Amino acid sequence: QGQFTLLRDTRTDGSFLVHHFLSFYLRAGCKVCFVALLQSFSHYNIVAQKLGVSLAAAKERGQLVFLEGLKSCLDLLFGEEEQPGQPSPLQFLSTRDLRALFEFVRVSLTPTEQEAWRGPVLLLDDLSVLLSLGAAPVAVLDFIHYCRVSVCCQLKGNIVVLVHSNEDSEDEENELVVNSLCHHSDLILWAEGLATGFCKDVHGQMKIIKRLSLQQAAEQDLVQIYQYKIQDRNVTFFARGLSAAVL
């Protein structure tokens, strides 16, 4: 409880981690607020069904609150009428203020007397899109800070955020946000593409960083490195040099 997990990918697609955490928390009986800025609901639902979870059923029973960012952006940009009393969470497209998005998250995860979910979870895929849509880096970091206070500290829930990064990129704003989030994360799962290029038996490398230094100043962070292969319904992890291509 109260953990902030950062999913970071470089030279590869780390979305398989988002699908894992989404199905994991739904099966665990948690209340999930999923801010999906990258793909449509049908895309996430198809992948979730392969993992044995129905997002449509989770929405109907009130366990999943899904914000379809692509559709909301189109509605806001092309002047679709909003429901009375329900302003768009993506108002920052015109106001440069992420307050409406934070209010959407806070209201979605605040428990009611009728609900009996195990704990609230905020899942965001992916944070880099907010910068691409015009949000300032400071506004994005403020948004994450307020979400951590509300979800992690007050509600004793968890936050999982995906960001894209490239150490050679000229996008200084994105790298600023990524580096700032790394300093505040309790756990970092960093998916990286292989430096040697494509391999059918090894799809990438996963660096797992447990931020022990956040709990005790004298402690060093625990770093574990594995390689992985993505299959149709799961992901296989193994130590470096122990893939089928080598053995």
Side-chain angles (χ1 to χ4, degrees), residues 3-242:
Q3 296 291 304
F4 180 83
T5 301
L6 181 67
L7 312 179
R8 180 178 180 179
D9 61 19
T10 303
R11 302 189 307 275
T12 189
D13 184 8
S15 59
F16 68 94
L17 293 169
V18 174
H19 298 298
H20 160 73
F21 278 101
L22 178 60
S23 60
F24 170 79
Y25 281 120
L26 289 177
R27 281 197 296 264
C30 298
K31 177 69 175 287
V32 179
C33 176
F34 188 14
V35 179
L37 302 174
L38 199 60
Q39 301 285 353
S40 64
F41 176 79
S42 60
H43 169 81
Y44 294 105
N45 192 36
I46 290 172
V47 178
Q49 287 177 344
K50 290 185 177 181
L51 300 177
V53 176
S54 173
L55 300 190
K59 283 183 65 177
E60 290 180 2
R61 62 176 177 262
Q63 183 184 9
L64 173 65
V65 179
F66 190 92
L67 173 62
E68 192 167 357
L70 295 175
K71 182 177 183 299
S72 298
C73 285
L74 291 176
D75 292 344
L76 192 62
L77 291 174
F78 291 99
E80 295 289 334
E81 293 185 1
E82 300 174 357
Q83 298 182 12
Q86 295 184 357
S88 171
L90 301 183
Q91 279 185 335
F92 70 90
L93 290 173
S94 56
T95 63
R96 308 301 182 195
D97 190 342
L98 290 171
R99 189 176 305 174
L101 184 58
F102 166 72
E103 283 298 319
F104 171 82
V105 172
R106 186 186 63 82
V107 172
S108 300
L109 293 180
T110 299
T112 62
E113 296 180 357
Q114 294 79 15
E115 294 180 345
W117 306 115
R118 293 185 59 182
V121 175
L122 170 61
L123 184 59
L124 206 157
D125 180 24
D126 71 78
L127 196 67
S128 303
V129 175
L130 293 178
L131 296 172
S132 300
L133 292 174
V138 174
V140 173
L141 293 174
D142 285 345
F143 165 72
I144 293 297
H145 171 72
Y146 279 101
C147 286
R148 289 187 63 194
V149 172
S150 178
V151 178
C152 295
C153 298
Q154 297 178 352
L155 301 178
K156 304 301 180 184
N158 297 312
I159 297 178
V160 180
V161 173
L162 173 68
V163 291
H164 298 297
S165 70
N166 190 344
E167 296 171 342
D168 299 328
S169 173
E170 296 181 357
D171 190 348
E172 296 180 357
E173 291 186 346
N174 186 76
E175 294 308 304
L176 171 64
V177 170
V178 172
N179 292 331
S180 298
L181 292 178
C182 286
H183 288 296
H184 296 284
S185 303
D186 298 292
L187 175 66
I188 302 173
L189 303 181
W190 190 349
E192 299 176 281
L194 296 177
T196 54
F198 174 78
C199 175
K200 67 176 183 178
D201 293 307
V202 183
H203 291 160
Q205 177 176 282
M206 177 70 66
K207 184 181 296 184
I208 304 172
I209 305 174
K210 297 181 180 179
R211 299 294 314 287
L212 301 180
S213 58
L214 286 181
Q215 303 170 6
Q216 296 182 4
E219 292 288 336
Q220 290 187 344
D221 295 339
L222 178 62
V223 180
Q224 297 172 296
I225 300 178
Y226 298 94
Q227 291 179 335
Y228 64 86
K229 179 181 180 180
I230 301 176
Q231 299 170 329
D232 189 37
R233 297 178 185 273
N234 58 14
V235 181
T236 302
F237 290 89
F238 40 83
R240 289 181 291 182
L242 297 182

